[in-house]
Amino acid sequence: MGGPPVFVSRRLPEAALVPLLAAADVRMFEGEQEPVPRDRLVREAAHCVGLLVLLTDRVDAALLAAAPRLRVVSCMAVGYDNVDVRACTARGIAVCNTPGVLTETTADLCWAILMACARRLDEGRRVVQEGRWASWAPFFLAGQDVWGRTVGIVGLGRIGTAVARRARGFGMRILYTGPAPKPEAEAETGAQRVPLEELLSESDYVVLLAPLRPDTRHLVGARELERMKPTAILVNAGRGPLVDEGALADALRRGRIWGAALDVFEQEPVPPDHPLLHSPNVFAVPHIGSASIATRMAMARLAAENLAAVLRGLQPPSCVNPDVLAASGRGLPSQQPEHT
Ligand code: DGY
């Protein structure tokens, strides 16, 4: 196989990599379940022009310093907090991501965990499977209503808007907070922009979908949890470090909030002895927001297309630092995409 050398950091179906296989000499990590070891990633990057990485791979200044030929880092994810974009830009390296293709699937998962927590589905499943179902009883496994309640979305990007669209079907009042007003999403969903403090105190469900950046790390900590209703549920389908997990475990233990539905954690995989997993009313899943077969194929395909386009000197479908391409004459500037 000819073409510029490229490393794909996890085993992906060949069918998804077709555009890349035609444009590059592709080496692929053989593991599917486990991340590529750091030293192998650095070794591969040292001679590669392109990397296709997952959110489990850290692309930092140290890796970049060891990769003098690198021109493009393509993430199979919409979030790219694992990549030092500033350092990439300084070195003229394009960074690409996969927005759009995972929006609806991730919004579905948000609702799945929100409802599972509100209606205590995991406890119910265990009661049935373990033969502990004694009788119908007035308040047996009684949870929180979803319909007609208030949902507060922190980060009304693509996924947040898709979550809001679904909330309309449940007759909910929709609040959101974010750095800028979203008039189109407001018109489509009836969402109302409020300050974070108001969203926290008014919402029955606080849904976190903001991108992880230095200014959003621990966006929800002890102070924010104190503002929430004792009947409220915190839903995190963005990134784990948006929440101070110690403060959340403490708030759940004290009954300060009613429950938490979590797809993401500060440390992934979350250790089984983590206090959060032993807190009351926690419904936890292992970062599977975008995990439908069709969506994961679409993400892999888009990541491959992005990478192949940059290698061919064309405009990639989604680049987060398009000025790099404009400056080098490789591709045309594409629009700065929203994170989620
Ligand atoms: C993303 O794309 O950022 C998601 O977290 C992957 O599911």
Side-chain angles (χ1 to χ4, degrees):
M1 213 186 303
V6 159
F7 183 65
V8 176
S9 73
R10 199 72 71 95
R11 183 151 60 81
L12 293 172
E14 249 186 66
L17 299 181
V18 170
L20 188 57
L21 294 170
D25 183 5
V26 179
R27 278 163 67 94
M28 182 153 55
F29 181 55
E30 46 290 339
E32 201 215 328
Q33 297 302 320
E34 75 283 5
V36 60
R38 170 77 179 176
D39 59 338
R40 168 89 186 270
L41 182 62
V42 173
R43 220 170 42 244
E44 296 285 356
H47 62 90
C48 277
V49 173
L51 288 178
L52 193 161
V53 297
L54 308 191
L55 51 79
T56 46
D57 306 314
R58 203 160 28 87
V59 179
D60 55 12
L63 181 140
L64 298 174
R69 300 179 66 194
L70 199 59
R71 285 294 155 261
V72 49
V73 174
S74 182
C75 305
M76 185 183 147
V78 65
Y80 46 86
D81 46 279
N82 56 314
V83 177
D84 186 338
V85 178
R86 193 191 290 243
C88 285
T89 305
R91 290 176 173 269
I93 297 169
V95 179
C96 300
N97 69 338
T98 61
V101 293
L102 47 71
T103 301
E104 303 297 333
T105 301
T106 308
D108 284 350
L109 190 279
C110 245
W111 276 96
I113 61 174
L114 183 157
M115 296 191 76
C117 184
R119 298 301 303 273
R120 304 174 63 176
L121 297 191
D122 199 36
E123 286 169 83
R125 179 189 61 79
R126 277 186 277 130
V127 161
V128 172
Q129 287 190 337
E130 292 165 14
R132 293 188 285 114
W133 183 13
S135 158
W136 190 96
F139 290 96
F140 177 51
L141 291 180
Q144 300 292 341
D145 269 326
V146 175
W147 70 275
R149 295 296 175 97
T150 297
V151 61
I153 301 170
V154 180
L156 197 70
R158 293 179 184 82
I159 301 169
T161 305
V163 166
R165 227 181 286 125
R166 285 157 176 74
R168 291 190 67 179
F170 286 92
M172 297 176 89
R173 174 177 174 230
I174 305 165
L175 305 177
Y176 78 99
T177 192
K182 299 287 178 106
E184 279 179 28
E186 286 182 22
E188 185 191 353
T189 64
Q192 184 196 343
R193 185 167 178 246
V194 294
L196 178 62
E197 290 71 26
E198 191 177 331
L199 180 142
L200 292 167
S201 58
E202 291 279 312
S203 299
D204 300 295
Y205 299 92
V206 173
V207 179
L208 303 181
L209 285 164
L212 177 62
R213 294 185 308 240
D215 61 313
T216 59
R217 185 172 291 273
H218 287 191
L219 184 68
V220 173
R223 207 169 54 92
E224 290 70 27
L225 290 159
E226 280 304 315
R227 286 187 178 270
M228 288 173 64
K229 299 179 184 180
T231 49
I233 290 176
L234 181 72
V235 182
N236 190 2
R239 285 289 185 266
L242 294 174
V243 177
D244 177 342
E245 289 178 349
L248 177 58
D250 185 53
L252 287 162
R253 195 174 35 78
R254 291 187 296 115
R256 257 309 298 141
I257 67 168
W258 196 79
L262 306 170
D263 181 38
V264 288
F265 296 86
E266 294 205 73
Q267 184 192 333
E268 295 181 359
V270 61
D273 61 349
H274 193 292
L276 257 186
L277 301 185
H278 304 281
S279 305
N281 286 346
V282 170
F283 186 87
V285 290
H287 203 150
I288 54 169
S290 60
S292 75
I293 297 165
T295 292
R296 286 287 163 86
M297 280 300 281
M299 289 165 69
R301 207 173 293 125
L302 180 50
E305 276 167 21
N306 277 329
L307 185 36
V310 177
L311 296 178
R312 290 187 194 279
L314 302 172
Q315 180 183 11
S318 177
C319 181
V320 305
N321 58 350
D323 290 350
V324 162
L325 301 173
S328 69
R330 291 177 292 135
L332 304 166
S334 64
Q335 276 199 332
Q336 181 76 25
E338 273 175 29
H339 175 144
T340 53

